[in-house]
Amino acid sequence: MTSTTFLNKLMNEYDSHLNHSGINGERIADRLAELSEIGATEDGGVTRIGYSAQEKQAKERVVSWMKEAGLTVTMDGAGNVFGRLEGKSDSPAVMSGSHLDSVPNGGNFDGPLGVLAALEVVEAWKENGYTPPIPYEVVVFSDEEGSRFKAGLTGSRSFTGKITNDELDLFQDDSGQSFDEVIAAYGSDREAFLKANYHSKNLKLFVEVHIEQGTVLEKHDEPAGIVNGIAGPAWLEVSFKGKAGHAGNTPMENRKDPVIAAGMFVQEIESLPREVSQTAVATVGKMNVLPNGINVIAQEVNLMVDIRDITEQTRDQLLEMIYQKAENVAARRGIDVTWNINTKIKPLPIAPELQEKLATIMDKSGIKPVYIPSGAGHDAMIIGEEIPVAMIFTRSKDGISHNPAEWSSLNDCVKTVHLLKGFVEGIMEEA
Ligand code: HGY
Ligand code: MN
Ligand code: MN
């Protein structure tokens, strides 16, 4: 889908009566369409891997809009971008935003909607000549998806000081580039990256708009919903190590084939999540066969398991069951296995009083409050370890995400922006 087709599709369904209070659907649609051109894939999706030229280009586009809107723009050593609007007083700021990087061949709303929603609030205030009582910052966090280094939420974790040198030493991308090589090519360095520091921002609250990436809002036929908790992902890297050999001359009984072990492992872990809870999940989305030759019995299979639940105790219970399963399968197959927990993020409950503030605004807007636990991870869960956070979900068509077919209607996007603006103004006026 070209950006013109994408834009027309957005505008075709749009009810322009939603343009009020300074919020403008056409502007949001234009900007979503412009961003859809950066890293565009032939399937109508985008590939904007963390710390890639495409992510940088998308940030630069948003920076130009931030500057046009009168924001003071800064960037930290992790590539996080901040657009600041001073308030009448210099109290701790409200921050809102999301990310612009994507998964490979991802959708056009996952991340950009949250950034553009946060920026649209500034555009509305500008149009209405409104100066907020306290400062407001629009933020773009780097590399939220973790598609670059097998560990996600990089920008927000750097911003809150949660990334260590030891972890950075382990970072290596699919082309074999180290963290230091990647961050240097990006125009920063490790020292500046580790200097990123949320204390410098003196923040009161962070609120993130994001697509739901599920079907709860469709079931309730509501345009937007309230996130009541965010599941915590753990990423487990497993390597089954066999013995490379000739595919033709090696008798079946003499093989130490790691691909067979990997296949058994993937099949056997499918039933484990239901043993710990109704909300736990486990996914193998990435697998590398080495040396990956048609006529070669593989030497090694490296795979990544994404393990989640909304409580830390059940998530960690499942994590242990899965790496024990890897050891069990390797023993049965007579091959070696190693595993490493690349990243483990705490699940985050959202403060009930912030949920209720959102519910009040929804009631006023004629939207029935729907409370949704997020199976997907978000920057809000990292920031939420340090300051109060809230999240607003926008309805996703058929719950599709991490897929070019990802879609949210412009009506739902604009209704969400109105909710964000009302929520932020309410929080600010209480300050
Ligand atoms: O992986 C996630 O949950 C998010 O899309 N980064
Ligand atoms: Mn996202
Ligand atoms: Mn995502």
Side-chain angles (χ1 to χ4, degrees), residues 62-288:
V62 169
V63 163
S64 67
W65 293 328
M66 285 179 168
K67 287 179 176 170
E68 284 164 24
L71 298 182
T72 306
V73 180
T74 54
M75 188 180 289
D76 68 17
N80 298 314
V81 175
F82 305 92
R84 182 176 173 89
L85 178 69
E86 293 307 335
K88 288 180 182 144
S89 80
D90 197 22
S91 309
V94 168
M95 179 180 274
S96 182
S98 191
H99 61 94
L100 293 173
D101 67 298
S102 76
V103 295
N105 202 25
N108 288 292
F109 296 82
D110 177 355
L113 178 60
V115 171
L116 295 178
L119 183 54
E120 188 63 21
V121 170
V122 176
E123 301 284 5
W125 288 342
K126 197 175 120 190
E127 195 157 307
N128 300 330
Y130 171 84
T131 303
I134 61 176
Y136 176 72
E137 295 217 11
V138 178
V139 64
V140 181
F141 287 117
S142 299
D143 188 32
E144 186 276 343
E145 296 289 4
S147 301
R148 192 68 187 261
F149 296 119
K150 302 184 234 175
L153 303 157
T154 312
S156 48
R157 288 192 303 133
S158 163
F159 182 58
T160 54
K162 297 295 179 4
I163 292 193
T164 63
N165 262 309
D166 290 349
E167 182 178 359
L168 295 178
D169 290 342
L170 296 174
F171 278 12
Q172 188 176 61
D173 72 6
D174 285 347
S175 68
Q177 284 195 82
S178 69
F179 167 78
D180 295 304
E181 288 168 319
V182 168
I183 201 72
Y186 194 78
S188 182
D189 61 34
R190 182 183 290 227
E191 189 190 347
F193 179 92
L194 289 169
K195 264 201 199 124
N197 184 334
Y198 82 100
H199 292 295
S200 63
K201 291 286 168 198
N202 193 14
L203 296 174
K204 175 184 178 64
L205 171 139
F206 173 67
V207 52
E208 180 170 5
V209 161
H210 202 283
I211 52 170
E212 180 200 341
Q213 302 171 304
T215 55
V216 172
L217 288 171
E218 274 191 329
K219 283 194 191 94
H220 288 268
D221 192 20
E222 292 296 340
I226 300 164
V227 176
N228 55 14
I230 308 174
W235 286 356
L236 176 72
E237 185 166 8
V238 177
S239 298
F240 288 104
K241 302 177 192 296
K243 185 169 170 245
H246 194 295
N249 260 0
T250 311
M252 293 307 286
E253 62 276 11
N254 291 357
R255 296 181 177 202
K256 288 190 176 294
D257 187 344
V259 174
I260 306 294
M264 287 168 64
F265 170 71
V266 171
Q267 188 174 19
E268 290 181 24
I269 66 173
E270 185 185 24
S271 61
L272 297 183
R274 282 301 153 269
E275 292 183 27
V276 298
S277 79
Q278 285 311 306
T279 48
V281 290
T283 313
V284 176
K286 186 172 181 138
M287 190 183 288
N288 288 322

